[in-house]
Amino acid sequence: MPPNTTATSGDKPGKSGRKKGRKVRLVVLVLVLAIVGGVAYGAYWSISTVRASFPQTKGSLTLKGLSGPVTVKRDGYGIPQIYASSDADLFMAQGYVQAQDRFYEMDVRRHMTSGRLSEMFGKGQVKNDEFLRTLGWDRVAKQEYDSKLSDSTKKYLDAYSEGVNAYLQGKDGKDISLEYAALGFVNDYKPERWTPVDSVSWLKAMAWDLRGNMQDEIDRALMTSRLDQQQIKDLYPDYPYSRNKAIVQEGQYEELAGAFQQGGATSGSGTSTGTGGSGTSTGTGGSGTSSGTGSALTSQLAGLYNVLDDVPTAVGVNGQGIGSNSWVVAGKNTITGKPLLANDPHLSASLPSVWYQMGLHCTTVSSKCQYDVTGYTFAGMPGVIIGHNADIAWGMTNSGVDVTDLYLEKLSGDGYMYDGQSKPFTSREETIKVAGGASKKIVVRQTADGMPLLSDRDDELVQVGKKASVNTAAPDRGDGYGVALKWTALEPGTTMDAVFALDKASDWTGFRDAAAKFDVPSQNLIYADTKNHIGYTLPGRIPTRSAGDDGSVPAPGWDSKYRWTGYIKQDALPYEYDPKRGYIVTANQAVVDKDKYPYTLTTDWGYGTRSQRITDLIESKIKDGGKISTDDMRQMQLDNSSEIAKLLVPRLLKINLDDKDVRQAQKLLEGWDYTQDADSAAAAYFNSVWRNILKLAFGNKLPKELRVKGQCLWVPRIDGTGPVDDDSKVRECGERAADQAQPDGGDRWFEVVRNLMDKPDSDWWKTPAGAGDRPKADNMDQLFQRAMIDARWELTAKLGKDIDTWSWGRLHRLFLKNQTLGTDGPAVVQYVLNRGPWKLSGGEATVNATGWNAAGGYGVVWVPSMRMVVNLDDLDKSKWINLTGASGHAFSAHYTDQTGKWADGELLPWSFSDDAVGKSTGDTLVLKP
């Protein structure tokens, strides 16, 4: 299948076109499986497998357990709208329908969350399973189901599971999905029944990928091996409150006196550090470990990072620059006179998309059947996560609050030291079953307050206490130190209750009550209703820490004063309702100004580039009484403007260049409007210059643990061996995956460079001469000149010498990969399951955040995983789009049928009312009791 031929059209396919396309796909599949499994058997088996796994979407079928008939209406994109007369029937049907489209994806997810990937994919997943068993997501999920969730929520989870299992009844793997058929060549794996805990566990995976500043906490500690405290501070500048506005500007919080839920704390959590930036807390200051943590600790944290990097992402890469956009505009500023609400979460690109679009409708809303809601959910979970009902709409972005801390634990025999006494670890034995191999047993240890010892999962981590440099207050090394994790999601919570409460909330009070249950992960929640109100609230279980500990670096676990002191009460968290300005923007920026809130929420906000750009776009529309339309909201989501280009290009145009070819490239920037369209040559050249500026000024000076794996440099010795003269160098290669390396080019790096432009002679701008005739740099302009030269020849190598053929989209491409066999399966299977590439507009820290990692290359790493605009005046005029399609079946017409329109920035009609759904319905299936 040639690239760009499988999913470029989002138009509703006609019957003849669908049959023709399916026939071609079947021929390709026959050829593929003939190679894998033998010509005769492959041809027969492949056609029957593909047809058998497609869902029935027309006619009727019997579903044991229903109390009444349920109707499933699918539109031309296969998006289902379910109609039932009881809550239990509604969620049972949801389970059945999601399993029809996405069961393989659901099955992989539950094996990930329970640390059982090895049962499906063999010994290559054992390390991941060890780590995930250590975290114990499924164990916590079971505690939630058993003791925390409401009876109604458990009823819905049970009904959902019944629906999934009704779909599985009597089916072999090959009847469910092509991937099971492929697995059958090497594994006799059989899908198991679904359980309610499988659904709840998915919330833990979501929380893990949105866990906050854990990566920054590790990176700052790793930097100490090569950078001093001031240099680290340079790379983690303070949040620019005066330039990029916080979310809450006119809002409030309540009950500040005694605002802690546990621990009896009487002070804020390190209020001297404020709530933004990390300039006062970089390195290891205030953590009880010395500023020179030593090579052993560096090695240990690098080992931890390697473990984390191998864990499959659930909903997104966790890193600086990744986030989401959402904003809401009040009726006084819209054409309709009612609010408009937009949301586009930025997550890793996955196939199928992490999101599943659907509607859940009670035929009559009553106490027996309470739901009439539509939007985006996860396959494997009942309810709707983001969307709207008949009265309200809501969106989410990751708040980024700090809910994880790493602790250096002093090991003592079979226990650990705590306030001068030895305490025993609690432990449990876990057995990991391995497809095609022997099972493996591991022991998981955790502290008395439930922190798992992550260092048990990596050989390097065991060495932490042998050489780690700590201050004089630390206990003797003895048997060494370990690394433990404190994380709010390892405590049972009520987020699943929150999902159902949000789905049926009808006003601001109900929305706030529902949000209060959304404890993990903490999200920025925006709100609008049909009565012309807008709002924002920050929910979540957010820890408080003792003064002097801001959670920015690993803390000493042997000292109780560094343990969490409690949690901020929900009533003390910021919110905003009907602000006078008439809009609210959340895009992972600071929640509140540092001088307006007494508690530290994090030291690692996003730096507000996207949020301020959205704010500026809104302000430009509503000035002088202008009004915003639904399509204006869509156009804002597609804004490609590069804020770092606006800062740098005027300076770059002043650089004198002798080489006519480099000067030719420089001319591309003259008159450029800073928009990063896919066909823009100027955007291609500028982003290459930006990448080379970062590499020369910062990347080559970072420790190997942060640089791209396989990229090698000659660097000064820092390990104390060999000659000590300045000319002593050692070849050192990077160790981090390309999509997680630094400098990643996100808006933290925008702020770093902005600050250093006032210091043109800073040491950061100095770099030695490069290969060939690449000049050395002693100041900023010379480094910019070198970056422009390097960028010209980099793009010559990638795109050709003729700059007329250059375009940003040729560099900035999206490949969609099936998240299991599409990444690690045989090449021929990857060829069958994967799609792309698409040439994309947008870029890093733009509103249209098609993110790329500047250290690793130009390829798209994360994307707006969906886009939606809700019109509260007429809900049927709302719009939405998904990254891929409704189906997880590789040869379904709905596998990637939305991707082409998504890439072009289009939105689909989003039907809600009975009439609108009826008009858009293509297939109707009746589920009978």
Side-chain angles (χ1 to χ4, degrees):
M1 288 174 290
N4 276 337
T5 62
T6 61
T8 57
S9 174
D11 294 333
K12 180 177 178 180
K15 290 184 179 179
S16 60
R18 188 179 300 173
K19 286 182 179 178
K20 182 178 179 181
R22 182 176 297 176
K23 193 174 294 183
V24 172
R25 296 182 184 108
L26 289 176
V27 170
V28 173
L29 183 60
V30 169
L31 294 175
V32 169
L33 292 176
I35 296 171
V36 178
V39 175
Y41 178 71
Y44 164 77
W45 169 83
S46 62
I47 294 173
S48 63
T49 296
V50 170
R51 287 177 175 166
S53 64
F54 285 171
Q56 178 181 343
T57 60
K58 294 181 179 180
S60 65
L61 54 83
T62 300
L63 201 60
K64 186 178 178 180
L66 289 176
S67 63
V70 176
T71 302
V72 182
K73 299 181 178 182
R74 293 178 182 262
D75 67 10
Y77 291 88
I79 299 170
Q81 305 281 343
I82 300 175
Y83 292 83
S85 56
S86 75
D87 290 339
D89 285 355
L90 191 64
F91 295 116
M92 184 178 182
Q94 183 182 19
Y96 186 89
V97 170
Q98 286 193 343
Q100 281 186 305
D101 286 334
R102 300 277 194 96
F103 183 76
Y104 177 76
E105 174 195 3
M106 293 163 58
D107 200 15
V108 171
R109 284 179 175 178
R110 67 162 163 182
H111 278 77
M112 181 186 74
T113 59
S114 59
R116 297 170 54 211
L117 287 168
S118 300
E119 294 179 20
M120 296 184 74
F121 305 111
K123 63 182 181 180
Q125 295 298 322
V126 169
K127 282 289 186 183
N128 286 333
D129 284 347
E130 290 180 6
F131 185 76
L132 293 164
R133 294 285 184 95
T134 300
L135 292 177
W137 291 345
D138 61 330
R139 296 172 62 86
V140 181
K142 188 174 188 311
Q143 293 173 35
E144 289 185 359
Y145 180 80
D146 289 342
S147 62
K148 282 286 188 179
L149 300 180
S150 69
D151 290 342
S152 62
T153 292
K154 289 194 278 191
K155 175 184 174 183
Y156 301 155
L157 288 165
D158 292 345
Y160 180 90
S161 296
E162 287 182 35
V164 175
N165 293 325
Y167 169 75
L168 296 177
Q169 185 70 33
K171 290 183 174 67
D172 293 328
K174 66 182 178 61
D175 300 323
I176 298 171
S177 175
L178 173 64
E179 287 91 336
Y180 288 121
L183 279 177
F185 285 107
V186 294
N187 188 352
D188 61 356
Y189 172 80
K190 300 273 190 296
E192 299 174 354
R193 288 177 60 82
W194 193 263
T195 73
V197 173
D198 293 333
S199 295
V200 180
S201 294
W202 179 240
L203 291 170
K204 301 303 171 189
M206 182 174 73
W208 177 252
D209 283 350
L210 302 174
R211 63 192 178 271
N213 76 334
M214 188 170 169
Q215 178 174 317
D216 289 314
E217 192 172 335
I218 293 171
D219 285 359
R220 276 190 288 265
L222 290 173
M223 286 179 183
T224 60
S225 69
R226 192 173 293 279
L227 305 179
D228 61 34
Q229 295 302 301
Q230 181 56 50
Q231 289 173 317
I232 296 173
K233 177 178 168 59
D234 288 344
L235 302 187
Y236 285 87
D238 292 336
Y239 184 91
Y241 289 100
S242 61
R243 188 173 67 254
N244 295 342
K245 297 186 186 332
I247 296 172
V248 175
Q249 300 171 41
E250 305 169 36
Q252 52 195 310
Y253 45 87
E254 301 167 351
E255 298 184 15
L256 289 182
F260 300 95
Q261 292 179 324
Q262 299 173 1
T266 57
S267 64
S269 52
T271 55
S272 62
T273 63
T275 56
S278 48
T280 58
S281 56
T282 53
T284 51
S287 71
T289 56
S290 79
S291 59
T293 51
S295 62
L297 180 57
T298 297
S299 174
Q300 184 127 33
L301 290 170
L304 170 60
Y305 192 91
N306 291 336
V307 174
L308 300 179
D309 192 48
D310 286 338
V311 174
T313 56
V315 296
V317 180
N318 181 270
Q320 180 60 244
I322 301 171
S324 305
N325 301 323
S326 69
W327 66 95
V328 60
V329 181
K332 70 178 184 179
N333 292 324
T334 69
I335 288 175
T336 67
K338 291 286 182 70
L340 295 170
L341 184 149
N343 196 187
D344 56 289
H346 306 154
L347 303 171
S348 293
S350 61
L351 181 61
S353 167
V354 69
W355 297 110
Y356 185 90
Q357 298 153 286
M358 71 188 318
L360 302 171
H361 308 279
C362 290
T363 51
T364 301
V365 177
S366 65
S367 59
K368 178 184 175 183
C369 196
Q370 306 171 72
Y371 295 90
D372 188 18
V373 62
T374 180
Y376 296 84
T377 188
F378 301 124
M381 266 185 60
V384 167
I385 307 298
I386 296 173
H388 72 80
N389 58 32
D391 301 300
I392 74 167
W394 66 96
M396 297 183 188
T397 63
N398 192 28
S399 70
V401 298
D402 187 1
V403 296
T404 60
D405 277 343
L406 294 173
Y407 284 89
L408 197 64
E409 298 290 345
K410 167 65 183 71
L411 305 183
S412 175
D414 293 330
Y416 61 100
M417 297 300 296
Y418 189 72
D419 283 349
Q421 296 183 341
S422 179
K423 288 182 169 287
F425 287 108
T426 60
S427 63
R428 66 179 186 273
E429 186 176 83
E430 299 268 357
T431 299
I432 298 172
K433 297 178 182 179
V434 183
S439 298
K440 181 175 182 180
K441 294 184 183 295
I442 64 169
V443 175
V444 176
R445 296 190 291 175
Q446 60 186 45
T447 63
D449 52 352
M451 294 195 298
L453 199 65
L454 301 185
S455 48
D456 283 347
R457 301 283 74 87
D458 189 273
D459 293 340
E460 281 189 295
L461 300 183
V462 181
Q463 302 300 319
V464 67
K466 306 233 186 247
K467 299 177 183 177
S469 174
V470 293
N471 67 16
T472 56
D476 293 334
R477 288 188 177 87
D479 294 330
Y481 296 95
V483 177
L485 171 67
K486 183 72 171 175
W487 179 34
T488 55
L490 296 183
E491 302 169 18
T494 57
T495 301
M496 199 71 241
D497 283 342
V499 172
F500 295 112
L502 282 171
D503 286 354
K504 63 182 180 182
S506 60
D507 56 24
W508 173 247
T509 300
F511 172 78
R512 285 263 291 167
D513 290 344
K517 303 176 189 295
F518 207 105
D519 46 18
V520 177
S522 175
Q523 298 287 286
N524 296 311
L525 292 178
I526 61 166
Y527 167 92
D529 64 35
T530 56
K531 295 180 180 178
N532 225 346
H533 300 291
I534 65 172
Y536 161 86
T537 192
L538 174 69
R541 185 185 296 146
I542 302 173
T544 57
R545 300 171 175 87
S546 59
D549 176 23
D550 59 13
S552 64
V553 290
W558 53 82
D559 190 338
S560 61
K561 75 180 182 182
Y562 291 98
R563 286 301 202 259
W564 292 354
T565 57
Y567 299 100
I568 304 174
K569 286 184 177 180
Q570 289 296 311
D571 286 341
L573 292 172
Y575 69 91
E576 193 166 63
Y577 186 60
D578 285 341
K580 293 179 182 178
R581 65 186 181 279
Y583 62 86
I584 301 170
V585 176
T586 86
N588 316 109
Q589 78 270 40
V591 171
V592 289
D593 282 349
K594 62 182 178 179
D595 297 327
K596 295 181 179 178
Y597 193 68
Y599 311 118
T600 298
L601 298 174
T602 186
T603 59
D604 293 296
W605 301 115
Y607 279 75
T609 301
R610 282 179 289 109
S611 61
Q612 192 56 45
R613 175 61 179 171
I614 295 167
T615 297
D616 292 344
L617 290 170
I618 293 171
E619 288 284 355
S620 69
K621 281 286 185 181
I622 65 176
K623 68 179 180 180
D624 302 323
K627 303 292 184 181
I628 292 175
S629 68
T630 301
D631 197 59
D632 289 333
M633 300 284 276
R634 180 187 71 86
Q635 292 287 354
M636 291 178 192
Q637 289 178 324
L638 303 178
D639 183 77
N640 293 322
S641 176
S642 171
E643 297 305 298
I644 190 62
K646 293 176 185 177
L647 177 69
L648 290 181
V649 166
R651 190 80 183 208
L652 295 176
L653 289 174
K654 295 178 181 179
I655 302 296
N656 291 321
L657 296 166
D658 296 329
D659 189 307
K660 65 180 180 59
D661 291 314
V662 183
R663 172 65 184 136
Q664 183 186 30
Q666 183 187 38
K667 286 183 177 179
L668 291 172
L669 304 179
E670 295 177 0
W672 179 42
D673 63 359
Y674 312 121
T675 60
Q676 299 171 97
D677 295 330
D679 60 359
S680 171
Y685 182 59
F686 172 78
N687 281 318
S688 183
V689 173
W690 171 238
R691 179 173 186 251
N692 280 279
I693 287 173
L694 293 172
K695 177 182 177 181
L696 294 169
F698 312 106
N700 292 349
K701 299 163 187 174
L702 295 176
K704 64 182 184 296
E705 294 85 3
L706 275 68
R707 300 201 313 269
V708 175
K709 187 179 298 183
Q711 290 185 1
C712 303
L713 300 169
W714 288 95
V715 300
R717 291 183 184 273
I718 60 171
D719 59 4
T721 64
V724 295
D725 59 276
D726 291 340
D727 294 329
S728 177
K729 299 286 183 73
V730 61
R731 190 169 185 265
E732 183 184 83
C733 298
E735 298 178 352
R736 187 165 288 185
D739 63 359
Q740 292 282 279
Q742 293 294 338
D744 61 21
D747 65 353
R748 172 164 67 88
W749 294 100
F750 291 12
E751 198 65 20
V752 169
V753 170
R754 184 186 298 274
N755 290 343
L756 288 173
M757 287 186 74
D758 293 330
K759 304 172 184 176
D761 297 318
S762 167
D763 286 345
W764 287 113
W765 299 124
K766 298 177 181 179
T767 191
D773 58 354
R774 303 291 203 276
K776 73 171 186 175
D778 291 318
N779 57 48
M780 182 178 68
D781 283 347
Q782 289 177 3
L783 185 138
F784 284 3
Q785 180 188 54
R786 166 77 178 274
M788 295 174 78
I789 295 170
D790 288 356
R792 178 27 159 145
W793 300 119
E794 180 186 9
L795 293 197
T796 298
K798 290 181 180 294
L799 303 179
K801 188 173 181 178
D802 183 359
I803 65 173
D804 291 336
T805 68
W806 290 3
S807 71
W808 177 225
R810 287 181 62 195
L811 290 172
H812 193 55
R813 299 185 298 167
L814 170 67
F815 291 85
L816 290 176
K817 294 185 177 182
N818 179 287
Q819 291 302 289
T820 55
L821 300 179
T823 56
D824 294 321
V828 70
V829 175
Q830 294 187 41
Y831 185 74
V832 169
L833 296 178
N834 298 340
R835 299 291 185 271
W838 286 268
K839 299 175 181 179
L840 297 188
S841 301
E844 179 59 51
T846 62
V847 181
N848 184 19
T850 55
W852 55 287
N853 186 298
Y858 303 99
V860 177
V861 177
W862 58 86
V863 294
S865 55
M866 62 82 158
R867 298 186 185 100
M868 73 176 199
V869 179
V870 183
N871 182 328
L872 276 299
D873 178 59
D874 184 345
L875 293 168
D876 287 329
K877 292 182 179 178
S878 302
K879 304 285 186 179
W880 62 352
I881 196 81
N882 205 352
L883 172 63
T884 60
S887 179
H889 298 285
F891 294 97
S892 165
H894 305 305
Y895 191 47
T896 53
D897 60 339
Q898 296 185 51
T899 310
K901 288 184 177 295
W902 172 92
D904 292 337
E906 297 181 44
L907 297 177
L908 303 177
W910 185 356
S911 300
F912 178 66
S913 70
D914 291 349
D915 286 345
V917 171
K919 290 176 182 177
S920 64
T921 295
D923 294 347
T924 300
L925 174 68
V926 178
L927 305 176
K928 297 181 177 179

